[in-house]
């Protein structure tokens, strides 16, 4: 029996190794950035895409059908990284603060811990996997062509999206949403519809994650050149007297810190496309000399174009969660079902984390629950020693604190706006980021509405069937949730009579930040950077609001959409793509 067990384990390991491959062998067109000097220093490209993320991968795959494309991705490969590939490791990936992690943590000036992707495939490698389209109103306001949008979404869906097998906690929350009045039930659909629905997922039935990086296999690999661990430091411009500046290439460093230059071809239509995300894109524009002149002068960055709006209008969809202890451990699940209200408040759910003794005792540094508990202390008292002391005594917490599920309330289109600003001229320094959560009173009003809606859901028969309903009052659940939510905001434990205070104390992110390169202010309707030539920004930094209940579907769609549109412009309307 023991021998059989050992053979089974070995077989699983062989399958995993053969399925995953190493960082550079599964996809032969993936190369280290240091290979550029020996192989491609004289090459020029029709398109240089800065960032192989959620938008950059489908964009590159599409453009490569007819043109040479260079992707410069600062992170590594998702292939062979089990933290990326498997749903069960979702929280471990986010807790990993090592330099090679696919998730790079940062803390906004609001005190909320957040993460940005640092891996080929971008946010699709570290998110909760939920897939749902933007509303028809969103598409109309963006000025996108309906026909092309409706061709671009299925291109993504046919390749990497699956129908989820609904987990018990997800089913209970779905039925609880309907019983609490969030109807009608719209079934399984990608469409953004008021009421309750089940959406798609990029996890298959075995919990294996597909990512935007998988879309690259649909490109023309002879035209597609991808460098990993390639950090772009600035965009290079040609400045002729009396003419507007034009992007001609980029300066980047490889994994060893050696600098390289990559250039565009001398042909009409060649462009540098920045797809570095909400933080990376405005940061790179400013490092390249496009931004507020006053701020650039302070850091002695030569000004290419004075544009006050770069880095402004940043938003993050604030989220608050209520933890619901259950009588028995619940199956792990990420987002599968959602309740969509007419006031821009979404209700979602997750479950099954921290069930084992290992997860209770494990200390994950700044991303761990120890830090969340420390936020009841004044900032000056949040020391490493205090964190270790909490880790030592954490086993004394009741077991039920780590057994159950979360119901999440998330605000769509927050009216509270923030900004991003450079700290220095080093691309590796995360900028100062401020979201100003709940600065606008209507955002706070919607949060309170969400908490009250969750209270109604918790009291439905579908949830009480999984919990010991007589053991936890609403006040107890709120107090428990104050401690469960991880941020660096001083909390008011045992003072949750004010739901407004609860919202402020427990605000966390769901990684849906956007803005900083808005259409009409930094880029035009075709995402060309206003005032310079040969340069576009195509990613979530151009969004005023986050699309749908979860943005990844629309960000990937945008990459495909713009790729097709750009090909048609260069090749003619009749071009088949």
């Amino acid at each position: 029996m023991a021998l059989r067990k050992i053979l089974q384990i070995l077989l699983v390991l062989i399958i995993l190794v053969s399925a995953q491959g190493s960082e550079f062998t599964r996809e032969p067109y993936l190369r280290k950035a240091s290979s550029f000097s020996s192989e491609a220093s004289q090459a020029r490209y029709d398109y240089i895409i800065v960032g192989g993320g959620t938008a950059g991968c489908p964009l590159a795959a599409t453009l490569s059908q007819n043109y040479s494309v260079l992707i410069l991705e600062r992170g590594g490969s998702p292939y062979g990284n089990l933290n990326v590939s498997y749903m069960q490791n979702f929280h471990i990936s986010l807790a990993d603060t090592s330099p090679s992690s696919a998730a790079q943590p940062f803390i906004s000036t609001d005190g909320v811990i957040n993460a940005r992707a640092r891996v080929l495939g971008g946010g699709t490698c570290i998110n909760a996997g939920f897939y749902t389209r933007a509303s028809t109103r969103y598409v109309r306001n963006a000025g996108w062509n309906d026909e092309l949008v409706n061709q671009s979404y299925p291109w993504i869906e046919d390749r990497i999206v699956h129908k989820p097998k609904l987990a018990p906690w997800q089913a209970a929350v779905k039925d609880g949403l309907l019983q609490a009045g969030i109807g009608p039930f719209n079934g399984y659909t990608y469409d953004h519809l008021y009421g309750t629905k089940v959406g798609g997922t990029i996890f298959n039935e075995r919990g294996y994650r597909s990512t935007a990086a998988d879309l690259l296999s649909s490109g023309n690999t002879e035209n597609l050149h991808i460098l990993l661990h390639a950090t772009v430091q600035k965009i290079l411009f040609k400045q002729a007297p009396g003419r507007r500046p034009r992007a001609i290439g980029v300066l980047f460093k490889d994994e060893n810190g050696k600098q390289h230059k990559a250039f565009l071809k001398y042909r009409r239509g060649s462009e540098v496309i920045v797809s570095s995300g909400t933080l990376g894109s405005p940061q790179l524009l400013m490092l390249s000399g496009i931004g507020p002149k006053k701020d650039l002068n302070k850091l002695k960055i030569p000004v290419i174009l004075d544009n006050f709006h770069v880095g402004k209008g940043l938003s993050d969809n604030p989220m608050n969660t209520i933890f619901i202890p259950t009588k028995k451990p619940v199956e792990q699940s990420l987002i599968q079902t959602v309740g969509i209200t007419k006031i821009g408040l979404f209700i979602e759910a997750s479950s099954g984390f921290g069930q084992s003794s290992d997860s209770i005792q494990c200390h994950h540094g700044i991303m761990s629950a120890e830090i969340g508990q420390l936020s009841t202390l004044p900032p000056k008292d949040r020391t490493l020693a205090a964190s270790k002391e909490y880790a030592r005594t954490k086993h004394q917490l009741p077991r039920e604190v780590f057994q159950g599920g979360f119901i999440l309330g998330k605000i769509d289109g927050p009216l509270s706006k923030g900004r991003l600003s450079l700290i220095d001229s080093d691309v590796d320094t995360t900028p100062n980021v401020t979201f100003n959560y709940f600065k606008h009173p209507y955002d706070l009003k919607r949060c309170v509405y969400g908490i009250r809606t969750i209270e109604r859901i918790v009291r439905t028969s579908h949830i009480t069937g999984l919990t010991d309903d007589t053991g936890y009052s609403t006040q107890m659940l709120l107090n428990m949730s104050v401690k469960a939510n991880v941020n660096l905001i001083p909390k008011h434990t045992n003072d949750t009579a004010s739901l407004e205070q609860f919202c402020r104390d427990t605000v966390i992110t769901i990684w849906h930040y956007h803005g900083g390169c808005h259409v009409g202010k930094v880029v035009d309707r075709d995402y060309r950077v206003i005032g310079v030539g040969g340069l576009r920004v195509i990613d979530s930094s151009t969004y005023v609001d986050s699309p749908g209940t979860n943005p990844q579907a629309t960000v990937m769609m945008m990459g495909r959409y713009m790729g097709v549109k750009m090909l048609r412009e260069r090749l003619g309307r009749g071009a088949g793509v």
Side-chain angles (χ1 to χ4, degrees):
M1 183 66 70
L3 179 60
R4 180 184 299 177
K5 188 69 174 177
I6 291 172
L7 290 174
Q8 288 175 339
I9 293 172
L10 288 174
L11 179 60
V12 170
L13 289 174
I14 291 171
I15 292 172
L16 285 175
V17 170
S18 62
Q20 294 294 301
S22 71
E23 185 175 20
F24 298 99
T25 58
R26 168 169 168 162
E27 305 297 348
Y29 48 80
L30 302 183
R31 302 292 176 88
K32 287 183 178 179
S34 57
S35 69
F36 187 81
S37 58
S38 60
E39 295 184 12
S41 59
Q42 303 303 314
R44 289 179 177 266
Y45 304 89
D46 292 294
Y47 296 100
I48 297 174
I49 299 178
V50 183
T54 309
C57 286
L59 175 64
T62 304
L63 292 174
S64 71
Q65 295 295 334
N66 296 89
Y67 296 97
S68 60
V69 179
L70 174 65
I71 296 180
L72 298 171
E73 168 54 48
R74 72 189 182 107
S77 169
Y79 304 113
N81 186 334
L82 298 183
N83 283 352
V84 167
S85 297
Y86 290 98
M87 184 179 73
Q88 65 201 39
N89 296 335
F90 165 73
H91 58 307
I92 298 174
S93 179
L94 289 173
D96 182 4
T97 59
S98 68
S100 61
S101 172
Q104 179 185 1
F106 71 93
I107 303 173
S108 70
T109 62
D110 315 275
V112 173
I113 298 172
N114 213 314
R116 55 190 295 206
R118 182 173 48 195
V119 61
L120 185 70
T124 64
C125 297
I126 63 172
N127 66 14
F130 195 56
Y131 183 96
T132 177
R133 298 181 180 185
S135 66
T136 54
R137 176 184 296 179
Y138 191 98
V139 170
R140 183 172 61 250
N141 290 342
W144 293 330
N145 177 275
D146 286 341
E147 181 181 1
L148 185 51
V149 166
N150 290 331
Q151 293 170 359
S152 299
Y153 273 124
W155 187 86
I156 306 295
E157 292 151 8
D158 291 344
R159 287 163 173 78
I160 65 170
V161 184
H162 310 274
K163 181 178 180 179
K165 179 183 178 182
L166 210 58
W169 181 253
Q170 300 289 332
V173 172
K174 170 182 70 69
D175 293 335
L177 280 162
L178 295 171
Q179 190 174 341
I182 310 299
F185 180 54
N186 294 305
Y188 170 63
T189 179
Y190 299 146
D191 292 337
H192 187 87
L193 304 169
Y194 293 123
T196 294
K197 74 166 194 172
V198 176
T201 178
I202 57 175
F203 291 103
N204 68 15
E205 67 277 4
R206 298 184 303 277
Y208 182 84
R209 181 195 294 270
S210 297
T211 75
D214 298 328
L215 300 172
L216 292 168
S217 62
S218 297
N220 180 347
T221 55
E222 292 184 1
N223 284 339
L224 195 55
H225 309 269
I226 303 170
L227 297 180
L228 302 180
H229 309 293
T231 303
V232 175
Q233 296 170 290
K234 67 177 181 178
I235 302 161
L236 303 174
F237 293 94
K238 180 179 181 180
Q239 293 180 278
R243 305 187 69 174
R244 66 177 183 170
R246 181 171 188 84
I248 59 171
V250 298
L251 173 70
F252 70 94
K253 63 180 179 179
D254 63 27
E255 69 276 11
N256 301 316
K258 183 178 179 180
Q259 291 187 331
H260 309 268
K261 291 180 180 179
F263 291 100
L264 295 171
K265 288 183 177 179
Y266 298 112
R267 60 192 296 183
R268 185 180 182 87
S270 295
E271 293 178 311
V272 173
I273 304 171
V274 181
S275 295
S276 301
T278 300
L279 271 63
S281 290
Q283 178 189 24
L284 182 60
L285 289 186
M286 287 188 280
L287 290 175
S288 305
I290 300 176
K293 182 177 180 180
K294 181 179 179 181
D295 295 341
L296 298 181
N297 286 338
K298 285 181 181 178
L299 297 176
K300 299 181 180 180
I301 297 174
V303 178
I304 299 294
L305 179 70
D306 179 16
N307 187 329
F308 171 81
H309 300 289
V310 177
K312 304 298 193 303
L314 225 63
S315 299
D316 187 21
N317 291 355
M319 182 174 73
N320 299 81
T321 72
I322 293 183
F323 180 75
I324 315 297
T326 54
K327 289 180 287 188
K328 298 178 180 179
V330 291
E331 177 185 329
Q332 181 183 358
S333 70
L334 298 177
I335 313 300
Q336 294 179 331
T337 188
V338 59
I340 301 174
T341 72
K342 293 185 177 181
I343 69 164
L345 188 282
F346 305 143
I347 305 293
E348 300 173 345
S350 66
S351 64
F353 297 98
Q355 295 176 30
S356 70
S357 57
D358 288 340
S359 62
I360 292 175
Q361 295 172 6
C362 184
H363 174 59
H364 292 297
I366 200 167
M367 301 298 285
S368 70
E370 284 81 32
I371 301 298
Q373 300 293 341
L374 286 177
S375 58
T376 60
L377 301 175
K380 65 180 181 180
D381 295 333
R382 296 175 203 156
T383 64
L384 180 60
S387 177
K388 288 181 177 178
E389 174 61 19
Y390 176 76
R392 186 181 68 81
T393 60
K394 186 169 68 168
H395 68 277
Q396 299 173 3
L397 290 175
R399 179 76 179 185
E400 58 268 22
V401 171
F402 299 94
Q403 179 175 291
F406 286 90
I407 301 180
L408 328 172
K410 180 184 69 178
I411 292 173
D412 177 47
L415 299 177
S416 306
K417 304 294 182 182
R419 59 170 298 188
L420 175 150
S421 60
L422 298 181
I423 295 175
D424 56 36
S425 58
D426 186 350
V427 68
D428 293 321
T429 303
T430 298
N432 267 333
V433 180
T434 302
F435 293 116
N436 286 323
Y437 298 103
F438 300 130
K439 183 176 182 180
H440 195 285
Y442 185 60
D443 291 344
L444 192 60
K445 181 179 180 179
R446 285 190 287 174
C447 177
V448 171
Y449 173 83
I451 300 302
R452 287 174 175 158
T453 302
I454 293 173
E455 289 177 352
R456 295 203 311 271
I457 296 169
V458 169
R459 298 306 172 208
T460 64
S461 59
H462 304 285
I463 301 299
T464 58
L466 299 175
T467 65
D468 183 5
D469 185 44
T470 60
Y472 298 100
S473 66
T474 297
Q475 197 68 21
M476 291 175 66
L477 290 175
L478 292 179
N479 282 327
M480 192 179 297
S481 298
V482 166
K483 291 187 175 183
N485 285 275
V486 181
N487 62 35
L488 300 184
I489 300 171
K491 300 184 185 304
H492 300 74
T493 309
N494 298 320
D495 182 24
T496 53
S498 165
L499 292 184
E500 288 84 359
Q501 190 63 59
F502 178 85
C503 286
R504 293 190 183 97
D505 282 358
T506 64
V507 62
I508 56 176
T509 184
I510 197 166
W511 314 289
H512 295 172
Y513 45 87
H514 50 279
C517 295
H518 285 156
V519 173
K521 295 181 177 180
V522 178
V523 298
D524 65 17
R525 284 279 184 170
D526 290 317
Y527 305 103
R528 294 186 176 93
V529 175
I530 298 169
V532 300
L535 181 62
R536 300 196 204 214
V537 177
I538 300 177
D539 59 26
S540 61
S541 69
T542 64
Y543 295 168
V544 175
D545 297 312
S546 184
T549 58
N550 297 72
Q552 72 165 342
T554 302
V555 178
M556 284 189 284
M557 182 281 294
M558 180 190 190
R560 171 64 178 177
Y561 175 100
M562 285 304 300
V564 172
K565 184 175 181 180
M566 291 164 67
L567 287 184
R568 289 178 177 175
E569 289 172 353
R570 292 190 73 172
L571 300 172
R573 286 294 297 180
V577 180

